[in-house]
Structures are given as C-alpha cells and as structure tokens.
C-alpha cells in the first residue's frame, strides 16, 4: 500500500515522517497509547499499560492539556506510489447494540458535516481519545461497542500506533463536549490493531481498538452503553459518521456528524467513501449502518480514516471485513 514516506507537520512545529496512503483524517489530532508493562524479567508487550501507567495517564490529562492537544496537518500522497489491496472478507455478522434508546428528533440526510443536535445513545458511546505521540499531545475520536468485557473502544489504527510506535497516556472520554467529561476519563489497559496496520500501516486496515480499565469499580458499557457492529456487509450503504474534528473550521469541542449513501473508493484503497467535511481529530470516529436517529443507535461498520488532499470534502473509512472482526474478537476477549 505504501511508497516513499510523506511528511506531516504539527500546526506550527517540526515535521513528522511516515508512509501512508492518504491524508489521514485523524491526522489532525490523532494518535496515542501503548504504555508498555510486563512482569519483571519479561519483555514488555506493546500496547499494554500497567495500573501505574494508567494512573499516570489519568493524572496527565488535565483540562488544560486536553484543550492544548494540537491537530496535525493531513498527509499528502502521490497516487503513483501506492498500490491498493482489497480487504479480506468473510461471513456477514451483526452484533446488536447494548446502548439504551433515547428519543431524538429527525435531522437532515444526507448531510456534509455539522453539529449533531439529536442527542440519543451516540452522544454517550462516542467520545474523544487523547494520547501522547513523539513527545506531544494529540487527539482522535472513538466509540464504545457492545463487547464481552464491556470495556472495548473502537478507533482508527493510527490513533493507537503510528510510525512503528504505540501511543502513550491513552485515554477515552465518552460524551465529551465543550471541555466537559460527563462520564469520566477511561485509561487504556491495552491497545491493539489489525495485523496489517501493526506490521506495515496498510491504510486498508486502519482500525484500532482499546480495552479500557474499570473506573470507580464500573465497566465502560455499564456506564455509557455500547453500539452494535456489522462485519462483511458490503458497500454503497446509507451511513452516518461521527467525530470530534479539531482542525479548522472545527475546534474539537463539538460533536460533529456527516450522513449519506457511501461509495467504494475508486482510487487507491478498498475503503468506503462519504461526502464529509470533518477534519483532523475526527479520526477513529464511528461510521454506522442501520443508524436510527430516533434512538441514536446503529451498527458500527467503519471509522474515520483518511482524506485525499485533492478531495477535501470526501472522508474514507476502512471496510470492516474478516480482519476487523478478528480485531474486535481479540479486544473483547482481553
């Protein structure tokens, strides 16, 4: 999938190098986790965080640091340097939502991007992700899903690992809005990604997951509920995407959505495409099929992943195929 490394710059600071296919949408406020921990004498396992590291992450993320988490500029790509690989597919599988329903009003469909004013379960299950990456603070988006461990968050692969390094001080803030954390801050005990993203950061598999530790003796979806999931269900679907874009014209403080009928990427990847103006910081935010505006529940079928620099109003998200399903199984069994 990749060619020569391309540069990306934090707003107003030094550049960062990496190989990638598109302009990562989350690239604007992306990336974190992977504080490592292991028994004495054993090699540390990437993507795990000991209880002491979890406590440090919770203490690290003050309101001031959350506000200061700076989006990164989106990446650019030369299409001649990239080759696409179709994601592996399997049997269509659906996991039902566990989030309680709550009434919301109808909103516009399709919609190219704007504040979500409908309320509903999605305002509790979705949230911002914060982490440190190469010595600076950054943010993405994520979503709590129905899982056996009641502690699984889905996000983008580049929101847990990038340029070969797992992010640190990784936390999830469900229901974030205007600097408020109504359901608390949840530290990751483990982060993981698909084998293809972990090995070579293949954009077709830009999917990540986190298993968060209990907070005040409670597990995540016991507090906020969990959305459903759908794997191997095809293309050209009516979908809703959500996130917390933090690059202009957005500031990361509002919950933004896009909606419409998706299309298959006809350029360089096997991703879904959707007309959407969300910017960096939205990476990892959920895409839903069968989304019910009346309840705010749906089946998560992708995540915000990247944008082409020459198509700024189109967002792309990876196909949830066999490897996405395997990642979910690994996360929920952790």
């Amino acid at each position: 999938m990749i060619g020569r490394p391309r540069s990306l710059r934090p707003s107003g600071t030094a550049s960062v190098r990496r190989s990638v296919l598109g302009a990562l949408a989350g690239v604007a406020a992306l990336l974190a986790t992977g504080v490592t921990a292991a028994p004495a004498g054993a090699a540390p396992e990437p993507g795990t965080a000991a209880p002491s590291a979890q406590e440090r992450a919770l203490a690290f993320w003050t309101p001031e640091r959350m506000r200061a988490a700076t989006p990164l500029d989106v990446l650019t790509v030369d299409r001649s340097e990239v080759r696409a690989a179709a994601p592996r597919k399997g049997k269509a599988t659906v996991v039902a939502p566990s989030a309680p329903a709550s009434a919301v009003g109808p909103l516009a469909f399709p919609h190219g991007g704007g504040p979500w004013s409908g309320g509903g379960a999605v305002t509790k299950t979705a949230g911002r992700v914060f982490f440190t990456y190469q010595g600076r603070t950054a943010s993405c988006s994520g979503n709590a899903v129905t899982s056996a461990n009641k502690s699984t968050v889905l996000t983008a692969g580049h929101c847990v690992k990038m340029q070969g390094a797992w992010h640190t001080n990784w936390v999830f803030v469900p229901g974030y809005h205007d600097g408020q954390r109504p359901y608390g801050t949840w530290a990751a005990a483990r982060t993981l990604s698909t084998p293809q993203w972990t090995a070579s950061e293949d954009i077709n598999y830009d999917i990540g997951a986190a298993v968060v530790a209990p907070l005040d003796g409670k597990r995540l979806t016991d507090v906020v509920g969990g959305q459903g999931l759908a794997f191997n269900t095809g293309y050209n679907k009516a979908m809703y995407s959500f996130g917390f874009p933090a690059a202009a014209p957005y500031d990361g403080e509002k919950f933004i959505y896009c909606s419409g009928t998706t299309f298959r990427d006809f350029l360089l990847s096997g991703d879904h495409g959707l007309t959407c103006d969300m910017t960096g910081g939205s990476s990892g935010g959920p895409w839903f099929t069968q989304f019910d505006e009346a309840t705010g529940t749906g089946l998560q079928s992708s995540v915000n992943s990247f944008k082409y620099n020459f198509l700024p109003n189109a967002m792309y998200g990876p196909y949830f195929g066999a490897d996405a399903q395997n990642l979910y199984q690994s996360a929920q069994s952790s």
Side-chain angles (χ1 to χ4, degrees):
M1 79 92 190
I2 44 181
R4 294 193 300 272
R6 292 290 175 181
S7 65
L8 72 132
R9 296 186 198 132
S11 305
T13 60
S15 66
V16 143
R17 305 287 296 178
R18 75 155 283 189
S19 299
V20 68
L21 178 142
L24 288 182
V27 174
L30 79 167
L31 332 309
T33 237
V35 179
T36 57
E45 181 182 356
T48 59
S52 59
Q54 297 165 29
E55 292 173 4
R56 288 195 299 271
L58 293 175
F60 178 84
W61 284 108
T62 62
E64 293 74 22
R65 283 188 170 129
M66 287 186 178
R67 286 194 296 269
T70 306
L72 305 180
D73 292 340
V74 293
L75 302 178
T76 58
V77 63
D78 180 342
R79 69 177 66 188
S80 66
E81 297 176 346
V82 184
R83 57 182 175 82
R88 293 195 311 126
K89 298 179 181 178
K91 182 180 178 181
T93 304
V94 169
V95 178
S98 58
S102 56
V104 302
L107 297 175
F109 183 97
H111 195 287
W116 175 255
S117 59
V122 70
T123 63
K124 296 177 66 175
T125 63
R128 292 190 77 180
V129 169
F130 295 94
F131 49 85
T132 52
Y133 169 69
Q134 293 192 350
R136 56 185 174 271
T137 58
S139 69
C140 275
S141 302
N143 183 61
V145 294
T146 298
S147 56
N149 59 14
K150 297 186 176 182
S151 303
T152 297
V153 177
L154 292 187
T155 186
H158 66 268
C159 296
V160 297
K161 175 184 179 289
M162 193 170 178
Q163 289 192 310
W166 295 87
H167 309 321
T168 57
N169 293 320
W170 201 102
V171 299
F172 176 58
V173 185
Y176 181 98
H177 65 89
D178 301 300
Q180 302 300 307
R181 307 185 233 182
Y183 308 107
T185 302
W186 301 72
R190 182 187 181 196
T191 54
L192 54 165
S193 187
T194 57
Q196 296 86 348
W197 184 264
T198 299
S200 62
E201 299 185 1
D202 184 335
I203 200 70
N204 289 284
Y205 300 92
D206 182 21
I207 310 164
V211 178
V212 296
L215 180 63
D216 298 328
K218 298 178 181 179
R219 290 182 290 182
L220 176 64
T221 61
D222 285 333
V223 176
V224 301
Q227 296 284 353
L229 301 104
F231 302 98
N232 300 296
T233 53
Y235 290 91
N236 305 312
K237 303 285 187 178
M239 287 194 186
Y240 288 70
S241 68
F242 293 86
F244 292 85
Y250 300 109
D251 62 5
E253 297 300 306
K254 303 295 184 184
F255 190 38
I256 305 300
Y257 87 106
C258 299
S259 63
T261 300
T262 59
F263 53 90
R264 184 168 182 171
D265 182 13
F266 56 89
L267 293 171
L268 303 174
S269 75
D271 283 21
H272 302 283
L274 177 67
T275 299
C276 185
D277 72 355
M278 280 195 275
T279 59
S282 65
S283 284
W287 292 34
F288 297 106
T289 53
Q290 298 185 33
F291 185 77
D292 184 354
E293 285 193 353
T295 63
T297 60
L299 303 177
Q300 185 166 350
S301 303
S302 188
V303 296
N304 294 320
S305 175
F306 77 93
K307 284 189 169 186
Y308 293 107
N309 64 321
F310 49 87
L311 293 173
N313 291 320
M315 179 75 75
Y316 293 86
Y319 184 85
F320 271 23
D323 292 281
Q325 188 172 2
N326 290 340
L327 172 65
Y328 165 69
Q329 295 291 359
S330 295
Q332 73 163 348
S333 62
S334 294

